[in-house]
Amino acid sequence: MAEILYTKWCRQLTMRPTSVNAGGDKALIKEQSITLDGSINGSGNIDFSWLPSPSLNDFHLLDPVVTPVVSTDYVLTASSGTECGTSSDTALVKV
């Protein structure tokens, strides 16, 4: 019975998937900082984070400040917390 309810729950969530947008690609001069423009559309408890985290001021913000030393792809990943899947998007910051 529990397995059937879990499967039904996942189907309901996948009918309304979380939409993730890491924002547009950006360019900056070396040793400067820039703000990423992430957004997430969805309902319920949504967990999200950015990777790679070493050059981010806070990987749990939708709009973190980044200071990359080299051109870097930043990936915003979100999940509903129900193990029904994740969504992600990438923004490139060119140095």
Side-chain angles (χ1 to χ4, degrees):
M1 180 75 165
E3 185 176 336
I4 293 170
L5 291 175
Y6 178 76
T7 302
K8 185 176 180 182
W9 179 305
C10 285
R11 284 189 189 144
Q12 288 173 347
L13 287 176
T14 56
M15 291 174 67
R16 293 179 287 154
T18 300
S19 172
V20 175
N21 185 339
D25 294 345
K26 300 180 180 257
L28 57 81
I29 298 171
K30 192 173 185 176
E31 298 182 13
Q32 287 187 338
S33 298
I34 199 163
T35 302
L36 298 177
D37 303 313
S39 64
I40 298 172
N41 294 317
S43 59
N45 292 332
I46 298 173
D47 296 320
F48 68 90
S49 64
W50 288 92
L51 290 175
S53 59
S55 60
L56 295 164
N57 71 327
D58 187 337
F59 64 94
H60 283 117
L61 293 176
L62 282 174
D63 55 352
V65 175
V66 300
T67 312
V69 177
V70 297
S71 295
T72 304
D73 283 317
Y74 290 95
V75 181
L76 175 60
T77 301
S79 66
S80 64
T82 61
E83 299 179 15
C84 291
T86 60
S87 298
S88 62
D89 190 36
T90 302
L92 170 64
V93 176
K94 296 179 187 178
V95 177

